[in-house]
Amino acid sequence: MSEGRPRLRRGVRLTYDKTRQTHVLLFPEGVLVPNPTAAAVLELCDGESTVEDIAAALAERYTGVRDRDITEVLTRLADRRVVEWT
């Protein structure tokens, strides 16, 4: 999967909820509240960027970013059917 390009599945939207003061993932089956790390990853899931691209972008903002960690986050979200790999 790490060679693929992750993106949000059709019908899934990442948005900032001002009331909760956090990002939320809206999808037909419900709502998920991703932690700040997952939200940062999801913001970069455009179907064009690879995991390596996402890691490089996040490394500009944070220290200790590892491809493996990003892949784990995306795999869990794919299991929840909110992320898909192209």
Side-chain angles (χ1 to χ4, degrees):
M1 266 194 253
S2 63
E3 292 94 32
R5 299 170 191 278
R7 68 177 178 194
L8 297 179
R9 293 180 66 89
R10 183 181 169 106
V12 177
R13 187 168 52 109
L14 178 68
T15 188
Y16 188 80
D17 184 326
K18 291 178 184 177
T19 303
R20 296 178 185 166
Q21 295 186 355
T22 190
H23 283 92
V24 294
L25 266 173
L26 305 174
F27 56 105
E29 296 84 19
V31 176
L32 285 176
V33 181
N35 65 36
T37 302
V41 171
L42 287 166
E43 287 178 317
L44 299 170
C45 290
D46 57 9
E48 301 291 323
S49 302
T50 63
V51 169
E52 293 78 15
D53 297 333
I54 293 169
L58 292 175
E60 293 177 11
R61 293 191 271 171
Y62 308 103
T63 58
V65 175
R66 298 182 303 185
D67 292 4
R68 181 178 72 217
D69 296 336
I70 293 168
T71 300
E72 288 175 12
V73 167
L74 292 172
T75 299
R76 285 194 308 271
L77 291 168
D79 290 346
R80 299 287 306 262
R81 302 185 48 83
V82 295
V83 170
E84 65 185 2
W85 298 82
T86 62

